[in-house]
Amino acid sequence: MKIVEQIKQPIAFEMDLFEQKFLLSMSSKVALLNRITTYIVNRKGKQMRPMFVFLVAKMVSNGEVKERTYRGASVIELIHTATLVHDDVVDDSNRRRGFFSVNALWKNKIAVLIGDYLLSKGLLLSIDNNDFDLLKIISVAVREMSEGELLQIEKARKLDITEDVYYEIIRQKTATLIAACCSLGAASVKPESEHVEKMRKFGELIGMAFQIKDDLFDYSDDQIGKPTGIDIKEQKMTLPLIHVLNNADKKDRKWLINSIKNHNKDKKRVKEVIAYVKAHGGLDYAISKMTTFQNEALDILNNYPDSNYKTSLELMVNYVIERKK
């Protein structure tokens, strides 16, 4: 059995019902909107975010979910989908999960409006049902995601990034949404309990590990056996690179910064940077930090009694680290 199916097993019923409710939450009287939202839903990914919501809700409440849990999962997925649609416009990207992106098929103007529509649908779903505590969790996540993206852009221009700033960027950009899924799952069944903050922290730690794993893919061999170096080409400062930059002597540091700033489209130079990062312990350092976040997340789960839901969350934490893409 595939690992994702194994993780999903204790919440299979909830996930099936969620898919129906999610499609309904997107519906509109405008035919074009429905055509595009159906296209989006039919090309969904692994749906990790709703899985976090349901697994956490069931773990902290001995297997119980409420209508609020479904609404919370729908809101997270609506807002996450909105950010992906907007991201593709910002990045001028024509593909998403191997399919054409919304902006590639319907142009930027429609894609931006679709993103706005999904965002407003998510907010209204919470407001119409008085889920103000859930709305607050999600709104904080949206604010932080925007701040994280802008902080990364600002720092990429100067390449003056420290490890602490890097952690702040990935906490806001990636970890905050997974933290929101987990705290929202807890809040949907046990509002204002200590589980809400505990699960927020758990999600944040997984998100940090998840992003470092993503950074490592840039240095690992892809299907054709070559490291991609895409982050270097895009002047993105990731943990392996930051570590070697901060520990390089003056001459090497100057060469690295010059390579990233002025020669990032030169394939040979990018290869040399990748080789330098590998040779100077950048990957080993990033892996050790990722493992620390992973273990801290598992420590939080150890405070909960054994259950299928806890086992699935443990599998999820390990899957984040061991995934191949």
Side-chain angles (χ1 to χ4, degrees):
M1 189 190 295
K2 278 187 176 170
I3 183 80
V4 177
E5 291 308 311
Q6 210 178 327
I7 292 166
K8 213 184 264 191
Q9 220 172 9
I11 50 164
F13 171 78
E14 286 81 6
M15 288 299 290
D16 286 344
L17 187 53
F18 162 73
E19 287 201 20
Q20 298 163 34
K21 288 176 185 282
F22 180 55
L23 189 54
L24 274 175
S25 71
M26 279 187 168
S27 66
S28 153
K29 294 187 177 74
V30 179
L32 176 62
L33 254 170
N34 286 335
R35 197 155 74 241
I36 297 170
T37 52
T38 303
Y39 176 82
I40 291 168
V41 169
N42 288 340
R43 280 146 195 82
K44 64 185 183 298
K46 296 185 187 77
Q47 292 189 302
M48 298 303 241
R49 285 155 195 86
M51 283 160 66
F52 273 123
V53 174
F54 290 114
L55 285 170
V56 166
K58 294 189 95 170
M59 182 183 75
V60 304
S61 66
N62 299 320
E64 184 190 358
V65 295
K66 296 186 172 172
E67 200 54 44
R68 253 164 70 87
T69 317
Y70 287 100
R71 288 198 298 270
S74 292
V75 172
I76 281 278
E77 202 67 347
L78 281 164
I79 286 172
H80 175 59
T81 308
T83 61
L84 293 183
V85 172
H86 281 165
D87 279 353
D88 287 339
V89 174
V90 171
D91 298 337
D92 201 14
S93 174
N94 291 324
R95 312 286 287 184
R96 167 70 60 185
R97 298 188 185 114
F99 297 97
F100 284 115
S101 58
V102 173
N103 51 303
L105 293 172
W106 286 281
K107 303 289 179 263
N108 284 351
K109 186 176 180 179
I110 287 177
V112 170
L113 293 169
I114 288 287
D116 293 347
Y117 172 77
L118 296 173
L119 199 58
S120 65
K121 273 293 211 183
L123 300 176
L124 284 168
L125 185 59
S126 293
I127 291 164
D128 291 346
N129 293 283
N130 294 326
D131 296 330
F132 296 114
D133 56 335
L134 305 187
L135 182 60
K136 185 175 180 186
I137 291 170
I138 290 151
S139 300
V140 168
V142 173
R143 185 199 73 208
E144 293 208 316
M145 284 157 67
S146 310
E147 286 178 351
E149 285 286 356
L150 287 163
L151 180 59
Q152 185 172 47
I153 291 165
E154 180 193 336
K155 291 295 175 185
R157 286 178 178 159
K158 294 179 184 169
L159 300 186
D160 63 344
I161 189 164
T162 62
E163 205 172 307
D164 286 345
V165 170
Y166 164 81
Y167 290 135
E168 187 55 17
I169 289 170
I170 69 167
R171 188 191 67 73
Q172 291 185 320
K173 245 187 75 173
T174 304
T176 193
L177 190 64
I178 299 174
C181 296
C182 297
S183 60
L184 194 141
S188 72
V189 288
K190 300 268 186 187
E192 294 176 29
S193 68
E194 78 280 4
H195 302 295
V196 179
E197 174 52 26
K198 231 184 240 179
M199 287 294 102
R200 186 202 67 75
K201 187 65 190 165
F202 167 73
E204 185 175 284
L205 290 163
I206 296 175
M208 301 292 276
F210 181 92
Q211 187 56 56
I212 296 173
K213 177 69 173 181
D214 255 15
D215 292 351
L216 287 162
F217 284 133
D218 206 44
Y219 295 89
S220 61
D221 297 341
D222 63 10
Q223 283 80 2
I224 49 172
K226 294 175 190 166
T228 55
I230 290 165
D231 288 339
I232 295 167
K233 287 169 194 152
E234 292 178 358
Q235 298 186 335
K236 276 186 190 158
M237 300 292 284
T238 60
L239 190 55
L241 186 57
I242 291 162
H243 177 68
V244 297
L245 257 177
N246 291 343
N247 290 282
D249 62 33
K250 205 172 174 183
K251 181 169 160 263
D252 285 0
R253 188 182 163 82
K254 197 176 169 186
W255 174 80
L256 282 164
I257 288 175
N258 184 32
S259 301
I260 298 154
K261 269 196 169 165
N262 305 314
H263 303 279
N264 56 328
K265 301 289 188 281
D266 177 341
K267 282 183 184 172
K268 184 170 173 286
R269 193 73 168 256
V270 169
K271 256 188 204 166
E272 287 168 4
V273 172
I274 288 170
Y276 183 95
V277 171
K278 284 183 172 177
H280 290 78
L283 303 198
D284 295 338
Y285 183 77
I287 289 165
S288 75
K289 287 291 178 186
M290 176 178 74
T291 310
T292 302
F293 286 124
Q294 174 194 22
N295 290 334
E296 284 177 22
L298 291 170
D299 283 347
I300 292 174
L301 285 183
N302 288 339
N303 295 315
Y304 287 88
D306 289 343
S307 66
N308 292 343
Y309 319 116
K310 178 181 164 180
T311 303
S312 278
L313 284 167
E314 286 167 344
L315 280 173
M316 190 88 106
V317 175
N318 295 326
Y319 170 71
V320 159
I321 303 296
E322 289 154 16
R323 67 201 163 98
K324 299 285 182 275
K325 61 177 179 178

